[in-house]
Amino acid sequence: MKVENVYLAGVGTYVPALMPLEQAVESGAFGADEYKDSGMESVSVEDALSAPEMAVLAAGTAIRRSGHSPDDFAALLHSNTFIQGPDGWSPSHYILLHTLDRPITSTVIQQGCNGVLTSLEMAAHRLLADPEKDAVLLTAADNFNTPLVDRFHSSALFLLADGASSLVVSRRSGFAKVLAIRSVSDPKLEWRHRTDDSLLPPREPVGRLLDFETRVKYWQRKWADGAKPPGGNFIDLLSVVAERTLAEAGLSMDDVARVTHVGFNEDPLHALYFEPLGIDAARGTWEQSRRIGHAGMNDVVIGLEHLWLTGQVVPGDKVLMVGTTPGMEVGCAVVEITQGPDGA
């Protein structure tokens, strides 16, 4: 979708202290060979703040940078991939109370690691359809610091990282202009993140949560036994969505200065993202993401803020933001930097 008059007015993140992976190896939480193969240096770990509390901090920064007042906002959209608090509780309204404190709609967008880009698309629709208010607040946060999750082995593709991010989407102006945004799914790939066990009960009563690796190995065994893969191709999906989104903005990959992406380990990041996009690590945010890990949907915002604050992108530069989620679905946004970070 080509977008007119939609901007990113503010950005904020919260990245906790970084645990050197040597420390994880020494404690036995991570293998020495796994450390070497990952290409990663450290992972962000938060042991004091919950996910919603981290989101509040990130949002405070984004709101201050945006120049918007609380009365300007039409909605708050919060994204997460993991448990935020008590069952049946609303983390988005907790965040709303401690940020804008206005009686506006506030909801959770559970769209995996594409949550921020899905929220951005929904915010653009809201602002284009409703002229009453000028801004939408996006927040995202996860804290995996719990015995329920093994951040080092939930997947062979990444190390789960704690963190939060926030964007203020505005119809007025901002440090970046949204040129186009699009999400495309291939539901034939939904099998990748489950086994063929019954979906009742909806959650296993025991065992680790977010155990993607066990599900991957299940399908590998099925194929080894002669089962036919259900179909779908993630790499093709990624390539198609990126090309379509860029085309809607009147651009090609050659026009893109930098790409913000998920914080995967080195080899899968190259195979699943860099190669299909036709870029090298220098055009991505690998130099930063290898220090943080995979903070879910926060990765693309953490990367964008880092590029902007450090002057690695300047006014006129185009940035492609790429998110993905089980389903499978890929989201892309093209933004043009319009202002530098002076005074941010």
Side-chain angles (χ1 to χ4, degrees), residues 57-304:
L57 294 177
T61 300
I63 294 167
R64 285 194 300 273
R65 288 173 174 169
S66 75
H68 278 282
S69 67
D71 288 330
D72 295 333
F73 288 84
L76 184 152
L77 306 178
H78 178 64
S79 303
N80 66 276
T81 63
F82 191 59
I83 301 167
Q84 303 283 289
D87 289 342
W89 173 70
S90 175
S92 64
H93 288 89
Y94 172 92
I95 297 165
L96 176 63
L97 173 65
H98 292 282
T99 53
L100 303 173
D101 192 17
R102 293 295 186 273
I104 58 176
T105 186
S106 180
T107 191
V108 173
I109 308 297
Q110 289 191 305
Q111 189 69 338
C113 302
N114 195 44
V116 165
L117 295 184
T118 298
S119 297
L120 175 57
E121 189 170 3
M122 294 177 70
H125 289 159
R126 177 66 183 255
L127 292 175
L128 292 170
D130 181 4
E132 214 173 284
K133 299 285 186 177
D134 287 335
V136 175
L137 178 62
L138 310 185
T139 62
D142 274 317
N143 188 325
F144 302 103
N145 196 10
T146 165
L148 295 173
V149 174
D150 181 350
R151 72 171 71 244
F152 299 102
H153 299 108
S154 65
S155 172
L157 302 179
F158 50 75
L159 308 178
L160 286 171
D162 305 332
S165 63
S166 179
L167 291 169
V168 173
V169 187
S170 172
R171 73 168 82 252
R172 295 181 187 172
S173 64
F175 72 94
K177 183 178 183 180
V178 182
L179 303 180
I181 184 166
R182 171 177 288 273
S183 293
V184 177
S185 72
D186 184 348
K188 293 190 296 296
L189 286 163
E190 64 80 26
W191 54 269
R192 289 174 61 108
H193 297 93
R194 62 171 174 84
T195 63
D196 64 356
D197 292 339
S198 171
L199 298 180
L200 284 174
R203 177 179 292 173
E204 291 293 331
V206 294
R208 290 193 183 278
L209 304 180
L210 290 180
D211 184 2
F212 295 111
E213 197 60 23
T214 295
R215 302 170 206 174
V216 169
K217 290 177 180 176
Y218 166 82
W219 288 107
Q220 290 174 341
R221 289 194 301 271
K222 293 278 285 187
W223 299 336
D225 291 339
K228 183 180 179 181
N233 187 294
F234 169 77
I235 290 176
D236 290 346
L237 181 64
L238 175 67
S239 300
V240 166
V241 181
E243 289 174 6
R244 287 183 185 177
T245 311
L246 287 166
E248 287 172 334
L251 305 171
S252 71
M253 201 65 209
D254 291 338
D255 300 309
V256 173
R258 300 293 290 269
V259 176
T260 68
H261 48 74
V262 298
F264 276 20
N265 297 350
E266 186 171 21
D267 287 346
L269 183 59
H270 277 78
L272 297 175
Y273 291 87
F274 291 163
E275 291 178 14
L277 293 172
I279 65 171
D280 58 18
R283 285 179 70 189
T285 52
W286 166 245
E287 50 86 20
Q288 184 211 25
S289 67
R290 70 185 304 187
R291 299 172 55 244
I292 296 173
H294 181 32
M297 60 276 140
N298 297 294
D299 293 340
V300 294
V301 182
I302 291 172
L304 179 65

Side-chain angles (χ1 to χ4, degrees), residues 290-330:
R290 70 185 304 187
R291 299 172 55 244
I292 296 173
H294 181 32
M297 60 276 140
N298 297 294
D299 293 340
V300 294
V301 182
I302 291 172
L304 179 65
E305 183 193 50
H306 175 70
L307 294 177
W308 180 60
L309 289 179
T310 58
Q312 295 182 59
V313 290
V314 297
D317 282 347
K318 314 299 192 299
V319 179
L320 177 66
M321 304 170 71
V322 182
T324 56
T325 186
M328 299 276 295
E329 187 160 332
V330 176

Side-chain angles (χ1 to χ4, degrees), residues 43-66:
V43 63
S44 61
V45 177
E46 175 56 54
D47 58 9
L49 297 176
S50 69
E53 289 171 317
M54 291 190 289
V56 168
L57 294 177
T61 300
I63 294 167
R64 285 194 300 273
R65 288 173 174 169
S66 75

